[in-house]
Amino acid sequence: MNLNNPFRPLSTKTKSAVSAIEDIITKDEGGRGMASLVVRGDLEEAAMIFARLKRNDNIRPHVLILSGFPCCVDHNPPTETDGPPGAVAIACAAVLMGYKATIVTDECNEEVFTAACADRESLGGLMLKCFPSEDKMSSNDYADLNSLADDCDLVIACERAGPGKDGKCYTMRGIDMTSAGLIAPLHLIVDRIRVARTNASTTDSSRIMIPFLAIGDGGNELGMGKMLDAILSNPMISNAKQIAAVGIADHLIAASVSNWGAYALVGAAACIRINDISKDLPSSSRSGLVVEACQFLPSSAAEQALLESCVAVGCRDGVSGLMEATVDGMPLETSLACLEAIRVEVEAVGFEAAANK
């Protein structure tokens, strides 16, 4: 990743929109004391990285999206509805931005993620890679995992189970998903890019600066170790000492629902892309900036269809445990209202950019 390219400073409207998006996703509808887990400014930082990703060798940047939280351990598949929509939203936005995107998940989640990606194959550049649980990983699997890490330019974890202090991944109720044979060691991708970042002997500086962004909503997701002390002291998170993930993200997007955090990352990145490209456009070419700004966000109809496709193959609400098109115990309409509120902020940045001469 080339971090030295000059970009236009964020306009007041762009910064205001990103801040408003951050407010939209952190109202704590899930009742987990979200305010204490939010890192103010991290959404803006994460969105700038996502929107401005480049490689020094002119090859399409490659984004890895780690996802999958198999918390419905008594069912097959054990996949919950929070995660797949958000991961796909990020992946589709990445492809539209000119990147390659690979969603990486556990084999136990493969059927659900395949359904989530089914209607997006025409985009090109979007791939799905699944790995077996840690106890079943072969040397070839580890080689494939390392290859993904070595070829990526950005890692984003979206509602991805993260190991706690004992190395195991737990549900909010304290159920051990690792010992249940559900968790692939995807956290090793993050470990490997950390090593690459500090390897001073590398001749390719772009391989040192591979950022790790994370999205979570409960404290047990990969990357949320950045707020470990806040998680451990949060009275709304029971079992925190057991379930808290210890892996630390460079930038953390804490949200009431992780899917919403994904929409926020995409929306904020869209604002920044418009901020950057509008400076070079003549007035006569700016009328399409509103459409340009909003193309990265999925439509409400597409999100409803995606979620219904996931449920059709066995995906369940992680709170209710039911096969229904709800997320974290909340009706779909709540998620769609969040998505549309984010779209309003993105549109506002597009309108301003179109109006400026």
Side-chain angles (χ1 to χ4, degrees):
M1 177 182 177
N2 185 350
L3 297 179
N4 298 316
N5 283 352
F7 289 102
R8 182 184 186 184
L10 299 187
S11 69
T12 300
K13 181 60 181 177
T14 300
K15 292 180 74 70
S16 174
V18 173
S19 179
I21 290 172
E22 192 171 53
D23 289 340
I24 289 167
I25 65 169
T26 55
K27 295 178 181 178
D28 200 23
E29 288 87 344
R32 294 174 177 171
M34 184 53 56
S36 69
L37 307 183
V38 177
V39 185
R40 289 292 170 185
D42 264 20
L43 173 61
E44 181 179 302
E45 294 293 330
M48 284 195 290
I49 290 171
F50 187 39
R52 296 169 169 176
L53 195 62
K54 292 185 181 296
R55 282 184 68 152
N56 292 333
D57 50 15
N58 292 320
I59 296 174
R60 290 173 70 184
H62 187 190
V63 180
L64 299 185
I65 302 106
L66 315 183
S67 191
F69 210 107
C71 61
C72 303
V73 297
D74 295 326
H75 301 281
N76 184 22
T79 319
E80 69 160 317
T81 52
D82 192 18
V88 171
I90 295 170
C92 289
V95 172
L96 289 171
M97 290 179 188
Y99 314 150
K100 294 186 297 182
T102 301
I103 297 174
V104 190
T105 191
D106 321 272
E107 283 187 349
C108 66
N109 299 317
E110 183 171 6
E111 190 172 8
V112 171
F113 276 86
T114 297
C117 295
D119 294 332
R120 287 140 183 94
E121 296 172 347
S122 60
L123 281 175
L126 194 163
M127 295 159 282
L128 174 65
K129 180 69 175 176
C130 303
F131 287 91
S133 57
E134 189 166 4
D135 58 306
K136 296 179 180 177
M137 287 279 287
S138 67
S139 58
N140 287 337
D141 291 324
Y142 281 110
D144 287 346
L145 200 71
N146 291 340
S147 179
L148 281 174
D150 293 343
D151 181 55
C152 77
D153 302 281
L154 173 63
V155 177
I156 304 173
C158 177
E159 187 65 10
R160 173 60 199 166
K165 63 181 181 180
D166 64 357
K168 298 179 179 180
C169 298
Y170 294 92
T171 71
M172 291 298 291
R173 297 182 178 92
I175 299 172
D176 180 356
M177 295 178 288
T178 301
S179 296
L182 300 173
I183 299 294
L186 304 188
H187 63 282
L188 295 180
I189 290 176
V190 178
D191 292 347
R192 191 167 178 89
I193 66 169
R194 298 290 195 200
V195 171
R197 180 183 298 183
T198 57
N199 184 0
S201 65
T202 182
T203 58
D204 182 357
S205 61
S206 69
R207 308 313 302 159
I208 301 174
M209 299 301 296
I210 304 171
F212 170 41
L213 316 178
I215 301 168
D217 60 18
N220 54 351
E221 297 89 2
L222 185 62
M224 290 205 74
K226 182 170 184 176
M227 294 299 288
L228 183 59
D229 289 344
I231 294 168
L232 294 176
S233 61
N234 190 325
M236 304 301 291
I237 302 177
S238 59
N239 306 314
K241 291 183 179 180
Q242 177 190 23
I243 72 172
V246 296
I248 300 173
D250 295 318
H251 301 291
L252 174 66
I253 302 170
S256 300
V257 175
S258 291
N259 287 340
W260 303 359
Y263 302 151
L265 175 61
V266 172
C271 291
I272 292 166
R273 294 277 286 205
I274 295 304
N275 177 91
D276 291 345
I277 68 173
S278 62
K279 68 175 182 177
D280 297 322
L281 290 177
S283 299
S284 59
S285 301
R286 293 188 174 189
S287 60
L289 284 176
V290 177
V291 174
E292 175 80 14
C294 290
Q295 70 168 331
F296 301 109
L297 281 169
S299 69
S300 289
E303 284 304 275
Q304 180 172 347
L306 185 154
L307 194 58
E308 289 174 350
S309 295
C310 291
V311 172
V313 296
C315 195
R316 296 172 181 270
D317 186 304
V319 172
S320 72
L322 299 177
M323 285 176 56
E324 57 186 6
T326 58
V327 182
D328 283 356
M330 290 177 257
L332 176 60
E333 289 75 16
T334 304
S335 289
L336 297 184
C338 175
L339 174 60
E340 292 308 317
I342 292 171
R343 194 186 315 279
V344 168
E345 297 299 329
V346 176
E347 286 177 341
V349 171
F351 279 122
E352 184 198 55
N356 286 340
K357 306 298 182 183

